[in-house]
Amino acid sequence: MNRDVASLLKDHAARLAALDLSALARSGGGRDAALQWQAGPVHLDARHQRLDAPAMDALFALAADAGFDAARKALLSGAIVNATEERPALHAALRDTGALADRALASRIDEAKGRTAAFAKACQTDGAVPGKPFTRIINIGIGGSDLGPRLIYGALKAYRRNGVDLRFVSNLDPADLEDAIEGADPATTLVCVTSKSFTTSETLMNARAARDWLAASLGQDAANARIAAATAAPDKAQAFGVAPERIFAFEEGVGGRYSLWSAAGLCLEIALGPEVFARLLAGARAMDAHFADAPAEDNLPLAKALIDVWNRAGRGCLARCVAAYSSRLELLPAYLQQLEMESLGKSVAVDGTPLGASAGGQLVWGGKGSDVQHSFFQWLHQGRNEVPVDFIAVKALYAEGDARARALGANLVAQSAALLDGHEGEGPLAAHKTMGGGRASSVITLDRLDPEGLGALIALHEHKVFCEGLVYGLNPFDQWGVELGKVLARDLLDGNHTRFDPPSLDLARAFGL
């Protein structure tokens, strides 16, 4: 259903715009309880948002009117929720198939999980040659086939298997593959080609280059024995030359940006071990259970979605900054950027009618704290436009005895407080030194950065995206907007210039195309 969400929130937005946010944050009482949520190891504190209990009640009413209870049940049971492609969205089912109505589908998913786990276990002792395990894993993929696994591997560095080095190739710049194979022994290298469609040009071109590198040292047959594939198109992987026993399929209903829990996470299951990968899924599964069972007012993913709807549609904030105060989570902003902007970057509702000007997802960007304080936080504090900030915290990190870790936590708290309260400048440069404050932020805190906590954090954002799509009436599971550029690139490389303007053709000639 396409609704004018901004109009439905305008009275609360006008009322709260007139209030001092600093005073609002200090008001305590029922507001404190109304703007905090907990689900397992994840806590959301939204007391620095320009919100109060009546506004949250209005937002929860929006979700109820959009059919939240029926929608979450449909998602988790495997019903068709991707209307434009007539598919379910099966990322939660990859963690637990128990709620799926289609038991044959559940069996296929469980069987696929068993195959990847068995292969990952076998890789600990045997590679292409028995008794000689793989020491270099190279994942070749792009978009969701790269960002998710890359984030997980970086975040869980403390859990990596000894003697195994996982590297990633996504870009067509030859340097990407050169860096991935640097120092590797082809005999103990496994290339994982990860592509849902197995037609993505960047992935296939890099996969051919990697196979050529293997074959140059080992011969073609030995090269093929060191290639595995994760895909929803196993026939295309086999046509590429991957042996059937090393093709790991996942369902069409698993979107690329939601796929790390599937065979698309094969490189992780090998590099971290199937036990750690299972813990990651368990953390996500716990968030799924909370999302499925918690009443709307206590539901963390729904609350996070509604806060973002409030800032985008209610307050007109086009963007949101994600500042992760943990070096291990430095790729989280980029991961969320794809998850949210590819899912919610739509201009029409499910029924094809235009969305309102303030509907649809936010521009998501960010970086690693405290580094970001020395780059774009100047703009956040004194720029003309307010951009709400999500601070991502890891409680156990700051509680360590290391003075640097404690200072990192102190910087997070200080930046949130500075955005709230601002500062009144003094002296002849008072205007230049003044920060107006009144700028919204939230803090999302993980108890600790372990597989369970990381799984829960990612699942929280997956479900939050679904809820935003529900409220806006758009489909968060298709991505037609990424296709046109691919088609034009193929035309250009094939010599078909009929669709190109003169300036574009000038560029193509300058590039030697």
Side-chain angles (χ1 to χ4, degrees), residues 21-22 48-50 315 377-389 391 415-422 435-442:
L21 182 57
S22 181
H48 283 191
Q49 292 287 343
R50 194 171 290 277
R315 302 186 58 228
F377 263 52
Q378 163 64 36
W379 188 85
L380 291 174
H381 284 293
Q382 289 189 306
R384 295 278 295 172
N385 303 104
E386 179 185 353
V387 173
V389 179
F391 291 95
Q415 289 297 323
S416 179
L419 288 167
L420 174 72
D421 291 332
M435 286 162 276
R439 302 195 169 193
S441 67
S442 295

Side-chain angles (χ1 to χ4, degrees), residues 309-444:
V309 167
W310 167 256
N311 282 320
R312 176 70 179 99
R315 302 186 58 228
C317 298
L318 179 62
R320 188 177 89 258
C321 174
V322 178
Y325 275 65
S326 162
S327 285
R328 295 282 180 257
L329 290 175
E330 67 176 320
L331 294 179
L332 181 64
Y335 174 80
L336 295 179
Q337 185 178 72
Q338 190 217 5
L339 174 66
E340 299 194 31
M341 295 180 70
E342 196 166 85
S343 297
L344 301 172
K346 312 292 169 61
S347 57
V348 298
V350 174
D351 62 7
T353 58
L355 293 171
S358 295
Q362 294 171 299
L363 186 161
V364 179
W365 56 281
K368 176 180 65 173
S370 60
D371 302 46
V372 292
Q373 296 172 198
H374 303 273
S375 55
F376 55 73
F377 263 52
Q378 163 64 36
W379 188 85
L380 291 174
H381 284 293
Q382 289 189 306
R384 295 278 295 172
N385 303 104
E386 179 185 353
V387 173
V389 179
D390 281 349
F391 291 95
I392 310 296
V394 182
K395 184 165 64 174
L397 170 62
Y398 317 137
E400 292 176 358
D402 194 310
R404 295 167 298 173
R406 295 182 68 248
L408 183 63
N411 271 273
L412 184 157
V413 175
Q415 289 297 323
S416 179
L419 288 167
L420 174 72
D421 291 332
H423 174 72
E424 187 69 34
E426 298 177 353
L429 295 177
H432 297 277
K433 297 181 179 180
T434 293
M435 286 162 276
R439 302 195 169 193
S441 67
S442 295
V443 179
I444 300 173

Side-chain angles (χ1 to χ4, degrees), residues 24 27 44 55 111 201 241 263 278 294 354 367 376 381 386 392 460 476 489 506:
L24 195 63
S27 61
L44 168 61
E111 180 183 357
S201 60
F376 55 73
H381 284 293
E386 179 185 353
I392 310 296
L460 155 65
D506 287 345

Side-chain angles (χ1 to χ4, degrees), residues 112-456:
K113 288 167 63 177
R115 284 193 68 223
T116 58
F119 183 74
K121 189 74 173 177
C123 285
Q124 294 181 4
T125 54
D126 299 314
V129 177
K132 197 170 184 180
F134 294 115
T135 58
R136 176 71 57 87
I137 313 298
I138 298 174
N139 185 74
I140 299 179
I142 197 167
S145 299
D146 170 73
L147 283 168
R150 198 186 287 254
L151 163 66
I152 300 298
Y153 190 62
L156 297 182
K157 184 173 184 178
Y159 296 85
R160 296 177 185 177
R161 286 179 50 224
N162 291 330
V164 178
D165 184 10
L166 171 58
R167 300 194 185 183
F168 297 89
V169 178
S170 60
N171 200 277
L172 284 174
D173 186 334
D176 223 27
L177 179 60
E178 290 167 8
D179 290 346
I181 63 177
E182 184 178 13
D185 178 358
T188 57
T189 296
L190 175 69
V191 174
C192 294
V193 184
T194 307
S195 173
K196 180 178 177 179
S197 66
F198 226 80
T199 60
T200 305
S201 60
E202 297 98 327
T203 298
L204 294 184
M205 292 178 76
N206 277 321
R208 292 187 188 100
R211 183 172 59 188
D212 290 346
W213 170 74
L214 290 169
S217 295
L218 306 171
Q220 194 63 57
D221 290 344
N224 288 339
R226 289 160 173 82
I227 299 176
T231 181
D235 56 329
K236 291 185 174 63
Q238 190 167 350
F240 183 83
V242 185
E245 64 270 19
R246 289 189 301 280
I247 298 174
F248 300 90
F250 56 91
E251 299 292 325
E252 281 284 354
V254 177
R257 56 192 175 277
Y258 299 91
S259 66
L260 71 89
W261 321 99
S262 71
L266 177 65
C267 62
L268 294 173
E269 203 159 3
I270 297 170
L272 300 174
E275 298 82 7
V276 172
F277 192 71
R279 290 175 60 188
L280 180 76
L281 267 64
R285 185 164 59 246
M287 185 60 72
D288 296 338
H290 166 83
F291 178 63
D293 298 335
E297 292 75 12
D298 300 325
N299 200 290
L300 174 56
L302 177 60
K304 180 65 176 77
L306 293 174
I307 291 167
D308 291 344
V309 167
W310 167 256
N311 282 320
R312 176 70 179 99
R315 302 186 58 228
C317 298
L318 179 62
R320 188 177 89 258
C321 174
V322 178
Y325 275 65
S326 162
S327 285
R328 295 282 180 257
L329 290 175
E330 67 176 320
L331 294 179
L332 181 64
Y335 174 80
L336 295 179
Q337 185 178 72
Q338 190 217 5
L339 174 66
E340 299 194 31
M341 295 180 70
E342 196 166 85
S343 297
L344 301 172
K346 312 292 169 61
S347 57
V348 298
V350 174
D351 62 7
T353 58
L355 293 171
S358 295
Q362 294 171 299
L363 186 161
V364 179
W365 56 281
K368 176 180 65 173
S370 60
D371 302 46
V372 292
Q373 296 172 198
H374 303 273
S375 55
F376 55 73
F377 263 52
Q378 163 64 36
W379 188 85
L380 291 174
H381 284 293
Q382 289 189 306
R384 295 278 295 172
N385 303 104
E386 179 185 353
V387 173
V389 179
D390 281 349
F391 291 95
I392 310 296
V394 182
K395 184 165 64 174
L397 170 62
Y398 317 137
E400 292 176 358
D402 194 310
R404 295 167 298 173
R406 295 182 68 248
L408 183 63
N411 271 273
L412 184 157
V413 175
Q415 289 297 323
S416 179
L419 288 167
L420 174 72
D421 291 332
H423 174 72
E424 187 69 34
E426 298 177 353
L429 295 177
H432 297 277
K433 297 181 179 180
T434 293
M435 286 162 276
R439 302 195 169 193
S441 67
S442 295
V443 179
I444 300 173
T445 301
L446 277 181
D447 285 346
R448 60 189 59 81
L449 185 53
D450 58 14
E452 291 84 357
L454 183 59

